[in-house]
Amino acid sequence: MQTKYFEFTSCDAPEFLDAARALREGLLVAFPTETVYGLGANALDRKAVQSIYEAKGRPGDNPLIVHIADLEMLKPLVTEIKPDALKLISAYWPGPLTIIMKKTAVVPDITTGGLDTVAVRMPDNHIALELIRRAGVPVAAPSANRSGRPSPTMTKHVLEDLNGRISYIIDGGPCKVGVESTVIDMTVEPAVILRPGGITPLMIKQVIGSVELDRSIVDRIAVDRPKSPGMKYKHYAPKAEVFVVSGDYGSIVNWLNKAVSEDRKAGIKSVILAAKEHIQEYGLSDAMSYGSINDASEVASNIFRLFRECDRIGAEKIYVEAIPKEGIGLAVMNRIEKAAGGRIIQAFD
Ligand code: TXA
Ligand code: MG
């Protein structure tokens, strides 16, 4: 299959209109959102949705998020919009918040991995919104990476994973947020966050009073039957082995310098992903900066790109300095810990 790639110029450009029509008619179109690039298909078209699973190599029981451009598009998809869900919608849509509600028969089972609920979000990106509007259908879109790879925050990542497997790639520049949306289950009481993301637990509490975090986020352990099926798969992982290293400044720096020098002796290529405040403590060729230790949003927007960069230079081990699990830092550490599997190190002096 020939993948047509183009840079977005205007909503009336012929290639944009072609892509929107192709999307409606059942083809796959990768498009920018504020979080990561999405791989879109007509959410109401079983065959189109099936081809998402094929292009990504994604297990069929992992449900997709349905993207909409306005509230009129939401109504046919869900049995009801509870008052608290409506409050969150008013506060945070368009934005990086995915809300799980009970689905109607309009949504095919394949879109929701057989569940009786559907995950819906309105992305905060004008290209995405206009594409959905012009397609005139709700758009099922997982992140536009091959299953198990880090999510794409630039079109070159989408090309790496999906060139030749999908019909269109629309380039809208790098994604602002950099980690995927928060997923919240509003079918239960109290509501539960299944995946942390750009909208933080505090931001949710401010609007609906209370919210819980799913065990898989808090305990870090693999739960047998997670509520969000996607959370059970190895995710976000570069090819290298990832290690998370936490501790105080001095201990981290000592531990990492020792680890890297031992790796070098053993002929292992390792890379440190470090705070820019620490970078001068490491050898020039050993470390890359993910941004400021005091700015989790900066780390969010860099982390997946850096994972892919480490792959490109052939890193066999990646050591990541932990950041505080505050604000969007919770989502960033969730993705890093998933990439690390159980490889979490506490550095002591
Ligand atoms: O930011 C995002 O959410 C991006 C962009 C493209 O919008 N999309 C994204 O999709 O991250 P994906 O497919 O990579 O992740 C969807 C997550 C998975 O963990 C999945 O299991 C969960 O949402 N999910 C979807 N529908 C669900 C449902 N009905 N119940 C529970 N979890 C659901
Ligand atoms: Mg994904």
Side-chain angles (χ1 to χ4, degrees):
M1 179 189 301
Q2 170 87 24
T3 300
K4 292 185 195 111
Y5 163 92
F6 66 90
E7 275 171 36
F8 176 82
T9 49
S10 109
C11 296
D12 299 313
E15 67 267 22
F16 187 73
L17 298 174
D18 284 347
R21 189 176 326 110
L23 186 53
R24 191 223 319 274
E25 289 172 357
L27 300 182
L28 300 186
V29 178
F31 61 96
T33 80
E34 81 281 32
T35 57
V36 300
Y37 273 82
L39 176 59
N42 180 343
L44 308 182
D45 177 338
R46 286 180 183 76
K47 262 206 183 137
V49 172
Q50 177 62 38
S51 58
I52 287 187
Y53 288 96
E54 282 157 17
K56 278 187 63 106
R58 175 173 172 127
D61 65 345
N62 191 359
L64 305 174
I65 295 173
V66 176
H67 295 64
I68 56 171
D70 53 53
L71 286 185
E72 284 311 304
M73 265 189 176
L74 174 62
K75 288 181 190 149
L77 308 178
V78 297
T79 57
E80 60 164 345
I81 306 172
K82 289 187 185 169
D84 276 352
L86 196 58
K87 283 188 199 162
L88 289 174
I89 287 171
S90 313
Y92 299 123
W93 279 8
L97 180 68
T98 295
I99 302 181
I100 295 177
M101 292 173 263
K102 281 260 179 291
K103 83 172 189 75
T104 61
V106 168
V107 186
D109 283 342
I110 187 168
T111 305
T112 64
L115 299 174
D116 63 354
T117 54
V118 60
V120 188
R121 91 177 190 98
M122 192 188 289
D124 185 18
N125 177 293
H126 75 282
I127 302 172
L129 290 173
E130 203 53 40
L131 181 72
I132 300 165
R133 224 169 265 141
R134 304 260 168 160
V137 289
V139 173
S143 47
N145 50 281
R146 288 280 289 169
S147 192
R149 300 268 300 137
S151 292
T153 55
M154 305 164 81
T155 47
K156 74 169 187 197
H157 306 154
V158 182
L159 281 163
E160 269 167 27
D161 281 18
L162 298 175
N163 194 13
R165 295 176 171 270
I166 63 178
S167 296
Y168 285 88
I169 298 176
I170 306 177
D171 194 337
C175 300
K176 259 187 344 210
V177 178
V179 292
E180 306 87 342
S181 61
T182 304
V183 177
I184 187 169
D185 185 353
M186 294 303 292
T187 66
V188 291
E189 190 76 51
V192 180
I193 295 177
L194 301 180
R195 179 177 74 181
I199 302 295
T200 65
L202 181 63
M203 291 165 79
I204 289 170
K205 280 188 192 142
Q206 281 166 347
V207 175
I208 59 169
S210 69
V211 70
E212 288 183 353
L213 286 181
D214 190 64
R215 265 184 60 209
S216 65
I217 304 169
V218 187
D219 295 354
R220 245 196 240 141
I221 48 162
V223 183
D224 282 347
R225 308 186 71 224
K227 289 208 202 73
S228 183
M231 301 310 264
K232 77 179 175 218
Y233 298 106
K234 185 175 148 69
H235 249 85
Y236 319 115
K239 291 172 190 139
E241 270 189 320
V242 177
F243 298 79
V244 181
V245 186
S246 55
D248 62 61
Y249 180 60
S251 314
I252 292 190
V253 167
N254 285 342
W255 192 94
L256 282 172
N257 274 317
K258 220 155 102 202
V260 168
S261 105
E262 277 165 19
D263 287 344
R264 195 179 299 120
K265 276 186 219 140
I268 296 168
K269 177 155 184 59
S270 49
V271 175
I272 303 168
L273 300 184
K276 71 174 172 221
E277 290 86 353
H278 301 176
I279 203 98
Q280 76 285 352
E281 302 281 358
Y282 305 117
L284 252 187
S285 58
D286 295 331
M288 297 187 225
S289 160
Y290 55 46
S292 170
I293 188 82
N294 302 312
D295 185 357
S297 354
E298 192 183 356
V299 186
S301 66
N302 287 324
I303 193 71
F304 286 140
R305 176 180 57 78
L306 288 170
F307 278 166
R308 281 180 185 260
E309 183 65 19
C310 288
D311 276 350
R312 205 185 55 77
I313 64 177
E316 292 162 86
K317 286 186 182 180
I318 303 172
Y319 299 104
V320 190
E321 289 186 350
I323 65 166
K325 291 181 180 172
E326 286 154 20
I328 195 175
L330 181 68
V332 174
M333 286 304 296
N334 171 264
R335 307 309 191 272
I336 296 172
E337 285 176 355
K338 278 193 169 296
R343 292 178 291 264
I344 294 169
I345 290 152
Q346 179 70 43
F348 295 106
D349 253 341

